[in-house]
Amino acid sequence: MILKKHKCDLKSCSLCLSCSKEWLPAIDANRKVFHVKKGELLFKEGDEVKGMFFIHSGLVKVHKRWDEEKEMILRFANKGAIVGHRGLGSDTIYPVSGTALASTEVCFVDMDFFTATLKVNPDYMYELLMFFAAELKESEKRMRNLAHMSTKGRIAYALASLHERFGTDADGYLNIVLSRQDLASYTGTTYETLFKMMNEFSAEDILQFAEKKIKVLNLKKLVLVYEDQQ
Protein backbone atom coordinates (compact mmCIF):
# COMPACT_ATOMS: atom_id res chain seq x y z
CA MET A 1 0.00 0.00 0.00
CA ILE A 2 1.18 3.51 -0.81
CA LEU A 3 0.53 6.35 1.63
CA LYS A 4 -1.12 9.30 -0.15
CA LYS A 5 -0.68 12.97 0.70
CA HIS A 6 -4.18 14.05 -0.29
CA LYS A 7 -7.17 12.98 1.79
CA CYS A 8 -10.84 12.30 1.08
CA ASP A 9 -13.61 14.87 1.43
CA LEU A 10 -14.86 13.73 4.88
CA LYS A 11 -18.28 13.15 3.26
CA SER A 12 -18.03 9.76 1.62
CA CYS A 13 -17.59 6.95 4.16
CA SER A 14 -19.91 5.64 6.87
CA LEU A 15 -17.61 6.96 9.60
CA CYS A 16 -17.70 10.58 8.40
CA LEU A 17 -21.40 10.54 7.54
CA SER A 18 -22.56 9.29 10.94
CA CYS A 19 -20.18 11.04 13.33
CA SER A 20 -20.92 14.49 14.74
CA LYS A 21 -19.56 17.48 12.83
CA GLU A 22 -17.51 18.39 15.91
CA TRP A 23 -15.66 15.05 15.58
CA LEU A 24 -14.67 15.49 11.92
CA PRO A 25 -11.48 17.47 12.70
CA ALA A 26 -10.38 14.59 14.94
CA ILE A 27 -11.01 12.12 12.11
CA ASP A 28 -9.05 14.35 9.74
CA ALA A 29 -6.10 14.46 12.14
CA ASN A 30 -6.04 10.71 12.80
CA ARG A 31 -6.68 9.16 9.40
CA LYS A 32 -4.24 7.97 6.77
CA VAL A 33 -5.12 7.53 3.10
CA PHE A 34 -3.61 4.63 1.17
CA HIS A 35 -3.63 3.64 -2.48
CA VAL A 36 -4.00 -0.13 -2.88
CA LYS A 37 -3.16 -1.83 -6.17
CA LYS A 38 -5.41 -4.48 -7.71
CA GLY A 39 -4.62 -7.83 -6.08
CA GLU A 40 -2.92 -6.26 -3.05
CA LEU A 41 -3.91 -7.21 0.51
CA LEU A 42 -5.28 -4.61 2.92
CA PHE A 43 -5.13 -7.09 5.79
CA LYS A 44 -4.53 -10.82 6.06
CA GLU A 45 -6.35 -13.56 7.93
CA GLY A 46 -4.41 -14.36 11.11
CA ASP A 47 -2.67 -10.98 11.35
CA GLU A 48 -3.04 -8.71 14.37
CA VAL A 49 -5.80 -6.10 14.03
CA LYS A 50 -4.28 -2.66 13.59
CA GLY A 51 -7.38 -0.62 12.71
CA MET A 52 -10.33 -0.10 10.39
CA PHE A 53 -10.42 0.68 6.66
CA PHE A 54 -13.03 2.84 4.92
CA ILE A 55 -13.21 2.63 1.14
CA HIS A 56 -13.05 5.95 -0.70
CA SER A 57 -12.99 4.43 -4.19
CA GLY A 58 -12.50 1.00 -5.75
CA LEU A 59 -13.60 -2.48 -4.73
CA VAL A 60 -12.48 -4.93 -2.02
CA LYS A 61 -13.32 -8.59 -1.48
CA VAL A 62 -13.50 -9.96 2.06
CA HIS A 63 -12.54 -13.63 1.98
CA LYS A 64 -11.57 -16.61 4.14
CA ARG A 65 -9.52 -19.69 3.44
CA TRP A 66 -11.72 -22.73 2.71
CA ASP A 67 -8.80 -25.14 2.58
CA GLU A 68 -5.22 -24.98 1.31
CA GLU A 69 -6.30 -24.25 -2.27
CA LYS A 70 -9.77 -22.68 -2.01
CA GLU A 71 -11.30 -19.57 -0.53
CA MET A 72 -14.81 -18.40 0.31
CA ILE A 73 -15.66 -14.80 -0.54
CA LEU A 74 -17.94 -13.40 2.17
CA ARG A 75 -18.75 -9.98 0.73
CA PHE A 76 -17.74 -7.26 -1.66
CA ALA A 77 -17.24 -3.72 -0.39
CA ASN A 78 -17.13 -0.54 -2.44
CA LYS A 79 -17.18 3.22 -1.89
CA GLY A 80 -18.22 4.27 1.62
CA ALA A 81 -18.03 0.80 3.18
CA ILE A 82 -16.02 -0.35 6.19
CA VAL A 83 -13.71 -3.38 6.05
CA GLY A 84 -11.67 -4.92 8.84
CA HIS A 85 -14.55 -4.73 11.33
CA ARG A 86 -14.66 -8.52 11.67
CA GLY A 87 -11.51 -8.11 13.73
CA LEU A 88 -13.36 -6.19 16.44
CA GLY A 89 -13.61 -7.85 19.85
CA SER A 90 -11.34 -9.34 22.48
CA ASP A 91 -9.60 -11.62 19.96
CA THR A 92 -7.54 -9.00 18.13
CA ILE A 93 -6.78 -11.17 15.10
CA TYR A 94 -8.31 -10.72 11.66
CA PRO A 95 -10.48 -13.81 10.97
CA VAL A 96 -10.67 -12.87 7.27
CA SER A 97 -8.57 -11.20 4.59
CA GLY A 98 -9.31 -8.11 2.51
CA THR A 99 -7.97 -7.83 -1.05
CA ALA A 100 -8.41 -5.05 -3.61
CA LEU A 101 -10.17 -6.20 -6.79
CA ALA A 102 -9.41 -2.90 -8.53
CA SER A 103 -7.25 0.14 -7.94
CA THR A 104 -8.58 1.28 -4.55
CA GLU A 105 -8.16 4.16 -2.13
CA VAL A 106 -8.92 3.67 1.56
CA CYS A 107 -8.91 5.77 4.71
CA PHE A 108 -7.35 3.99 7.68
CA VAL A 109 -7.80 4.77 11.38
CA ASP A 110 -6.04 2.84 14.13
CA MET A 111 -7.93 0.86 16.77
CA ASP A 112 -7.39 3.29 19.64
CA PHE A 113 -8.91 6.17 17.69
CA PHE A 114 -11.72 4.00 16.31
CA THR A 115 -12.63 2.86 19.83
CA ALA A 116 -12.60 6.46 21.04
CA THR A 117 -14.87 7.39 18.13
CA LEU A 118 -17.44 4.77 19.15
CA LYS A 119 -17.48 6.02 22.73
CA VAL A 120 -18.29 9.63 21.83
CA ASN A 121 -20.49 9.11 18.73
CA PRO A 122 -23.63 7.16 19.67
CA ASP A 123 -25.20 7.74 16.24
CA TYR A 124 -22.28 6.04 14.53
CA MET A 125 -22.29 3.22 17.08
CA TYR A 126 -25.98 2.66 16.30
CA GLU A 127 -25.30 2.64 12.54
CA LEU A 128 -22.49 0.14 13.04
CA LEU A 129 -24.78 -2.05 15.15
CA MET A 130 -27.42 -2.03 12.37
CA PHE A 131 -24.72 -2.88 9.84
CA PHE A 132 -23.59 -5.86 11.93
CA ALA A 133 -27.21 -7.03 12.24
CA ALA A 134 -27.74 -6.82 8.47
CA GLU A 135 -24.45 -8.60 7.80
CA LEU A 136 -25.37 -11.37 10.24
CA LYS A 137 -28.73 -11.89 8.51
CA GLU A 138 -27.03 -12.06 5.11
CA SER A 139 -24.46 -14.55 6.44
CA GLU A 140 -27.24 -16.74 7.78
CA LYS A 141 -29.00 -16.60 4.40
CA ARG A 142 -25.84 -17.65 2.62
CA MET A 143 -25.28 -20.57 5.01
CA ARG A 144 -28.86 -21.69 4.44
CA ASN A 145 -28.42 -21.34 0.69
CA LEU A 146 -25.27 -23.48 0.77
CA ALA A 147 -27.21 -26.20 2.59
CA HIS A 148 -30.51 -26.11 0.71
CA MET A 149 -30.10 -24.45 -2.70
CA SER A 150 -28.88 -26.06 -5.86
CA THR A 151 -25.67 -24.65 -7.34
CA LYS A 152 -27.67 -22.94 -10.09
CA GLY A 153 -29.97 -21.43 -7.46
CA ARG A 154 -27.01 -20.07 -5.45
CA ILE A 155 -25.52 -18.47 -8.54
CA ALA A 156 -28.86 -16.93 -9.50
CA TYR A 157 -29.34 -15.58 -5.96
CA ALA A 158 -25.83 -14.11 -5.91
CA LEU A 159 -26.29 -12.37 -9.27
CA ALA A 160 -29.69 -10.98 -8.28
CA SER A 161 -28.20 -9.68 -5.01
CA LEU A 162 -25.28 -8.05 -6.84
CA HIS A 163 -27.74 -6.50 -9.30
CA GLU A 164 -29.76 -5.02 -6.43
CA ARG A 165 -26.76 -3.75 -4.49
CA PHE A 166 -24.45 -2.42 -7.19
CA GLY A 167 -26.96 -1.55 -9.92
CA THR A 168 -26.07 -1.29 -13.61
CA ASP A 169 -24.09 0.99 -15.88
CA ALA A 170 -25.39 2.95 -18.87
CA ASP A 171 -25.27 -0.21 -21.04
CA GLY A 172 -27.16 -2.33 -18.52
CA TYR A 173 -24.16 -4.34 -17.24
CA LEU A 174 -23.61 -4.90 -13.52
CA ASN A 175 -21.66 -2.11 -11.85
CA ILE A 176 -19.27 -4.69 -10.44
CA VAL A 177 -16.78 -6.59 -12.60
CA LEU A 178 -15.65 -9.94 -11.19
CA SER A 179 -13.50 -12.74 -12.47
CA ARG A 180 -15.30 -16.05 -12.93
CA GLN A 181 -13.08 -17.51 -10.18
CA ASP A 182 -14.16 -14.81 -7.71
CA LEU A 183 -17.80 -15.37 -8.62
CA ALA A 184 -17.32 -19.11 -8.09
CA SER A 185 -15.73 -18.45 -4.68
CA TYR A 186 -18.62 -16.16 -3.76
CA THR A 187 -21.24 -18.79 -4.64
CA GLY A 188 -19.45 -21.75 -3.08
CA THR A 189 -18.83 -23.69 -6.28
CA THR A 190 -16.03 -24.55 -8.68
CA TYR A 191 -14.93 -22.55 -11.69
CA GLU A 192 -15.97 -25.39 -14.02
CA THR A 193 -19.48 -25.65 -12.55
CA LEU A 194 -19.94 -21.89 -12.62
CA PHE A 195 -18.88 -21.77 -16.28
CA LYS A 196 -21.46 -24.45 -17.14
CA MET A 197 -24.27 -22.71 -15.23
CA MET A 198 -23.47 -19.30 -16.75
CA ASN A 199 -23.69 -20.84 -20.23
CA GLU A 200 -27.11 -22.26 -19.31
CA PHE A 201 -28.29 -18.81 -18.17
CA SER A 202 -27.07 -17.38 -21.46
CA ALA A 203 -28.88 -20.07 -23.49
CA GLU A 204 -32.07 -19.30 -21.54
CA ASP A 205 -31.74 -15.56 -22.38
CA ILE A 206 -31.36 -14.65 -18.71
CA LEU A 207 -27.80 -13.33 -18.87
CA GLN A 208 -25.55 -11.73 -21.46
CA PHE A 209 -21.77 -11.39 -21.29
CA ALA A 210 -19.13 -9.03 -22.62
CA GLU A 211 -15.78 -10.43 -21.44
CA LYS A 212 -15.99 -10.20 -17.61
CA LYS A 213 -19.06 -7.96 -17.63
CA ILE A 214 -22.50 -9.44 -16.92
CA LYS A 215 -25.90 -8.12 -17.98
CA VAL A 216 -29.11 -9.45 -16.47
CA LEU A 217 -31.53 -9.66 -19.39
CA ASN A 218 -34.45 -11.04 -17.42
CA LEU A 219 -34.35 -10.41 -13.67
CA LYS A 220 -37.75 -12.05 -13.11
CA LYS A 221 -36.59 -15.33 -14.66
CA LEU A 222 -33.34 -15.14 -12.69
CA VAL A 223 -35.25 -14.77 -9.42
CA LEU A 224 -37.53 -17.69 -10.31
CA VAL A 225 -34.48 -19.97 -10.49
CA TYR A 226 -33.94 -19.73 -6.72
CA GLU A 227 -37.23 -18.40 -5.33
CA ASP A 228 -38.85 -21.79 -4.71
CA GLN A 229 -35.67 -23.06 -3.01
CA GLN A 230 -35.69 -20.43 -0.24
Side-chain angles (χ1 to χ4, degrees), residues 55-154:
I55 302 173
H56 181 57
S57 64
L59 181 68
V60 172
K61 68 175 179 180
V62 178
H63 52 107
K64 187 172 183 63
R65 297 307 306 174
W66 190 259
D67 57 31
E68 290 186 1
E69 298 182 354
K70 297 179 183 178
E71 68 175 15
M72 171 66 76
I73 295 179
L74 305 175
R75 66 186 275 254
F76 299 103
N78 60 348
K79 182 177 180 179
I82 182 176
V83 287
H85 59 282
R86 287 175 181 254
L88 286 171
S90 56
D91 184 7
T92 56
I93 299 296
Y94 288 117
V96 294
S97 299
T99 301
L101 291 180
S103 179
T104 298
E105 286 197 2
V106 296
C107 281
F108 171 82
V109 296
D110 65 33
M111 278 304 300
D112 287 342
F113 178 73
F114 186 72
T115 301
T117 298
L118 294 179
K119 290 178 179 178
V120 299
N121 286 277
D123 287 345
Y124 179 63
M125 183 177 283
Y126 176 79
E127 290 297 326
L128 190 63
L129 177 62
M130 292 299 100
F131 168 72
F132 271 117
E135 191 172 62
L136 178 59
K137 287 180 182 179
E138 185 59 31
S139 296
E140 289 174 342
K141 278 185 183 179
R142 295 193 66 207
M143 290 300 295
R144 182 195 62 201
N145 292 350
L146 282 171
H148 299 294
M149 273 191 187
S150 66
T151 302
K152 191 171 183 178
R154 294 201 306 272

Side-chain angles (χ1 to χ4, degrees), residues 149 222-230:
M149 273 191 187
L222 185 67
V223 171
L224 286 174
V225 173
Y226 67 83
E227 200 168 47
D228 61 349
Q229 299 178 41
Q230 288 187 305

Side-chain angles (χ1 to χ4, degrees), residues 3 30 43 48 61 70 80 86 123 215:
L3 182 64
N30 285 275
F43 51 89
E48 182 184 357
K61 68 175 179 180
K70 297 179 183 178
R86 287 175 181 254
D123 287 345
K215 179 187 289 187

Side-chain angles (χ1 to χ4, degrees), residues 38-55:
K38 180 180 178 180
E40 190 175 3
L41 281 165
L42 281 76
F43 51 89
K44 184 179 179 182
E45 182 178 350
D47 284 354
E48 182 184 357
V49 176
K50 301 293 186 181
M52 298 295 120
F53 297 86
F54 299 87
I55 302 173

Side-chain angles (χ1 to χ4, degrees), residues 19-31:
C19 286
S20 67
K21 291 181 179 179
E22 293 77 13
W23 193 249
L24 294 182
I27 295 175
D28 191 35
N30 285 275
R31 63 185 171 144

